[in-house]
Every structure is written in C-alpha cells, then in structure tokens.
Amino acid sequence: MENKLRIGIIGLGTVGCGVVKVLSKMDDVEIICAAVKNTAKKREVELNCITDNPFDIANNPNIDVVVEVAGGCAMLDVLKAAIQNKKHIVTANKELLARHGAELFDLAREHNRVILYEAAVAGGIPIILPIKTSLSANKFNSVAGILNGTTNYILTKMDEENLSYEDCLLKAQQLGFAETDPTGDVEGFDAMYKIAILANIVFGKRIDVNKIYKEGITKISALDIRYANELGYKIKLIAQAKKVDNDALDIRVHPMLVSKERPISEIKNATNAVLLNGFPVDKVMFVGPGAGEFPTASSVVGDILCIKSEIEKCGEILPMTTCHHSEYANQIDIEDTKNCYYLCIKAKNEPGEIGKIGFECGRHAINISCIIQKEAMDDGSATVIVITGECLEKDINTMISNLESDGITKVVNKIRVM
Ligand SMILES: NC(=O)c1ccc[n+]([C@@H]2O[C@H](COP(=O)([O-])OP(=O)(O)OC[C@H]3O[C@@H](n4cnc5c(N)ncnc54)[C@H](OP(=O)(O)O)[C@@H]3O)[C@@H](O)[C@H]2O)c1
C-alpha cells in the first residue's frame, strides 16, 4: 500500500455524502470511486469516478478499503467479493451485519481482513471499539439502550406535547426524523439489528436475529404516557440483552416504563444511549447522536483511520479489531422471561371489579405493586392501571386471558417495566 489509503464508497446518500465531505479535508485518504443506484442524480458532493455497479468497487485493484453505506442486504455478495479481493470493509449497515454477519466475519477471518462497523450501532456514539478495548477487562451482565432516534423522538413529543402517536409520527416525517415508510423504525426492526450486534460483542457469541423478540411503539397511546408519568415513569423503546440462568441470553426490543429516577429516562428526541453493566466497571452509559450525516460520518471515518493507523504501525490489522467468536448464544423465548408489568385494563365500573383483578393476579402468584382506578366512562366502564411485581411472561399472559374470559374486561395495553 502507498502512503494514501485508497477508498471505494458504496452509497452516496446521507451517510455517504457526510463521509466524502469529512474525508475531503484529509490528505492521507483518497476516494478512488463511488457506487450509487442512479448516477444521474444531483448530489452535494462531486467525485471523479461514479459507477452504478458496486462490483466495480469490490473488484478495483486500486482500492484498499470498501466503505458500504448503501443499506439493506443487497450488498452481501458485493462485500463478499471485496473481502475475497483482499479489501477491508467499513460499514454502517446494521441489517446486513445482524442478518449475515457470521458469513461475512468468517470470510474476513479466512482472508485476514477486517470489518469495522462503529456507525452501525448508535451512529455517532463510540461504543463498539470501547467495548472491545477500554472495557475489555469486563464480564458483562447486560447491555441495554435507546438505539433508535426516530421512535425516541416520537415518544418524546407524545410526552411533552400530549399528542397521539399518529400526530407525532407525522411531525417526525415532516422534520426528516422518520422515513415515508417508518416500519423499520416504529416496529422495532432497526433497534433489533443494533441489539443483535451489541449482544454479539458484549457476550462474545453469535446471535440469531430471528430469535429476538420485538415489539414497536405503534400501540403506545397518549393515555399510557400520561398514566406512566403520573406513576413516576417515562415510556421508552428499550433494546436489551442480558445474561440469565446457565449463560443463556434474554434479548429483546419493546417499549418499557422507565423510572424517572433512572438517567436513561432523561434521554430525549433523537439522542441514543447505551447502558452497560459489568464487572469490574459496574454501570456505564454512553450518550450521543444516534444518527445524522456528520455524527455517522464521524464513526465511519474513525474506522477508516483506525485501519490506516494499524496498517502503518504494524503492516497489518491488530487482532483487537477482528472477530474471534463462532459459537451461537442460547437465546431464551419471551414467554420464559421475567418482568414487572404495567397493565391498562378496561373493566366494568362496578363494585368487585378491582377484587376480580386482584384475585386473578393472586391465582397466578403475581404480586401487585400498585393498582389505581382512573376515570369512569359513559359506557359504564372504567380504566384500571396495575403495576405488577416480577413474574414470568407466560404467567401474566395466562392471567390476562383468564381476566378477559368474561368477554367484557379488556387489557388494553401491557407494557413491561424496566
Ligand atoms: N442516515 C443515518 O443517519 C444513518 C445512521 C447510522 C447508520 N446508517 C446506515 O447507513 C447506511 C446508509 O444510510 P443512508 O441514510 O445514507 O441511506 P440513503 O440516504 O438512502 O443512501 C443510500 C445510498 O445507497 C445508494 N444505493 C442504494 N442501492 C444501491 C445499489 N444497488 N447500488 C449502488 N448504490 C446503491 C443510493 O444511491 P442513489 O443515491 O443513487 O439512490 C444512495 O446513494 C444504511 O445501512 C443505514 O442503516 C444511517
């Protein structure tokens, strides 16, 4: 390799353009060529070589590092070809890594190349390399976080402006915080990919993304947010992975009531946070911008420069940045997880109804931490809010079915409590 590190970029959208702008201020990194879908599109950056065939990048002998910022899984074969052609990879693509990481990391190991992906989780927050380096002395019990800026923005607006989910989604779309098709964010896919990647490095095991339980925020109502507030909680979309019995992992993404006393409840708008709990460090929280052109470019360019400095210092890549593990984690089913629950119950506004809820909880050995009757409705019903003690998910589900078996009582929402 000559002094300049030679880069090929796949994708010149939000992140790709940010990366080009940041790299353009550096003398020791040269962008050889970029691939896009539509070469006729007007862009904020100008490059001498633009192709619509990403294999031109993967097969170009003058490129040392391929930066993949296109998204989705369409670039799997391109990246495989690039690795086989002895190129290092830098990517921001959480979906590709969560779904096909095992295959790509195996190939990279075989060809003595690295795949760096700091931008794939929590955008501008440095988290992957700090876990692998500064925190490498630790055995972790859990990693949890607010990993999706769009949903955190929507939940923040619902909370602060007392608006419905639909109104806040529209606002987020108008301001560019949510995509026209918001499914990937609001249904929890994005956070699921990110927690799969985090769990992989925190616990040193491969993660089957298809076994991660996932719930989005579409069922959260303004009333849930109001009741949660009254009880001392905020509602957040939390992605978490924790060690349970026999070294199994409990990995999931869903909304949670988070006590206002916890610092993570204070994370607002599009900001992300990652909370690690391990020994000897105890608890550490990383907070920062989870997305955006420049914060994400900061992580991508950081990875590029990391490769450059390692090659310059050692002539090759340090083992620290390579992937070592190949064993799959034992991931438990959501039915076997233990949680405290917030239940929003629509019941008959009659004597004995609260007793009925108490009886059903008691029958399943579910402790009640708090039970409050809210306003009565004109239709003769009333809302009852319950916060339970810790119990098995399968027990709360059976309790709910029994409660609803009268055909009148309805558990309108069940949200787990952090
Ligand atoms: N946006 C963020 O803040 C952020 C944060 C962290 C991670 N990421 C990740 O970074 C990646 C890129 O995100 P983005 O927001 O920059 O996406 P984007 O704005 O939609 O840009 C995607 C780019 O990829 C190009 N592309 C798509 N399909 C292609 C194909 N088949 N061949 C060649 N080029 C193709 C597009 O070309 P055209 O321009 O011609 O359509 C576009 O330039 C994704 O994996 C995303 O999850 C994004």
Side-chain angles (χ1 to χ4, degrees), residues 12-15 36-38 41 43 69-71 75 92 94 291-292 296:
L12 282 181
T14 307
V15 181
V36 293
K37 206 177 206 171
N38 176 5
K41 201 190 265 183
R43 299 179 194 274
V69 281
M75 294 302 146
K94 63 226 96 172
T296 313

Side-chain angles (χ1 to χ4, degrees), residues 335-352:
E335 287 281 302
D336 298 318
T337 64
K338 283 184 186 161
N339 306 278
C340 300
Y341 298 88
Y342 154 100
L343 302 176
C344 176
I345 304 170
K346 190 177 175 200
K348 271 194 283 186
N349 185 24
E350 279 182 359

Side-chain angles (χ1 to χ4, degrees), residues 44-111:
E44 289 178 19
V45 294
E46 273 185 31
L47 292 171
N48 293 332
C49 165
I50 294 198
T51 169
D52 59 5
N53 182 0
F55 281 97
D56 290 348
I57 306 286
N59 296 330
N60 187 329
N62 297 318
I63 287 175
D64 307 304
V65 176
V66 171
V67 175
E68 188 272 315
V69 281
C73 291
M75 294 302 146
L76 176 63
D77 288 339
V78 175
L79 292 194
K80 281 161 73 176
I83 294 167
Q84 278 157 342
N85 288 329
K86 295 280 180 196
K87 296 174 199 326
H88 298 292
I89 308 293
V90 172
T91 179
N93 192 335
K94 63 226 96 172
E95 181 176 358
L96 184 68
L97 291 179
R99 293 200 181 280
H100 300 286
E103 197 180 340
L104 285 169
F105 286 114
D106 280 348
L107 193 67
R109 188 155 48 179
E110 191 186 317
H111 290 272

Side-chain angles (χ1 to χ4, degrees), residues 110-285:
E110 191 186 317
H111 290 272
N112 198 24
R113 300 292 103 172
V114 287
I115 303 171
L116 299 192
Y117 49 97
E118 191 60 73
V121 179
I125 306 177
I127 184 71
I128 308 288
L129 217 50
I131 293 172
K132 288 188 174 189
T133 56
S134 328
L135 291 165
S136 60
N138 286 270
K139 287 260 177 276
F140 293 104
N141 304 317
S142 66
V143 54
I146 294 172
L147 301 179
N148 181 268
T150 304
T151 45
N152 204 47
Y153 175 86
I154 292 172
L155 291 172
T156 306
K157 289 295 158 220
M158 287 176 75
D159 181 40
E160 289 179 345
E161 296 175 23
N162 198 20
L163 294 172
S164 70
Y165 163 77
E166 289 76 14
D167 286 344
C168 293
L169 171 62
L170 193 66
K171 201 167 182 168
Q173 284 169 322
Q174 283 163 351
L175 292 170
F177 286 118
E179 292 179 29
T180 319
D181 176 3
T183 314
D185 293 316
V186 299
E187 296 293 357
F189 287 96
D190 178 78
M192 176 183 80
Y193 298 137
K194 291 168 177 169
I195 196 67
I197 295 170
L198 277 180
N200 172 284
I201 55 162
V202 163
F203 298 109
K205 296 266 170 71
R206 287 189 170 163
I207 307 300
D208 182 348
V209 79
N210 300 309
K211 289 187 184 160
I212 298 179
Y213 178 80
K214 170 188 73 58
E215 242 180 63
I217 62 161
T218 54
K219 289 193 215 122
I220 303 294
S221 71
L223 270 182
D224 291 321
I225 299 224
R226 196 181 101 199
Y227 295 149
N229 256 309
E230 287 171 13
L231 293 167
Y233 299 94
K234 296 286 176 195
I235 297 183
K236 298 286 176 193
L237 183 69
I238 300 289
Q240 59 176 343
K242 57 184 173 187
K243 237 185 211 165
V244 289
D245 296 343
N246 303 323
D247 262 2
L249 294 183
D250 169 5
I251 312 179
R252 45 204 162 110
V253 176
H254 48 61
M256 294 190 97
L257 265 70
V258 182
S259 165
K260 288 180 193 172
E261 286 172 13
R262 285 180 176 241
I264 200 165
S265 73
E266 293 290 323
I267 305 301
K268 291 186 180 174
N269 298 313
T271 304
N272 279 197
V274 181
L275 188 63
L276 286 157
N277 187 351
F279 180 82
V281 73
D282 201 24
K283 294 188 184 75
V284 270
M285 188 159 88

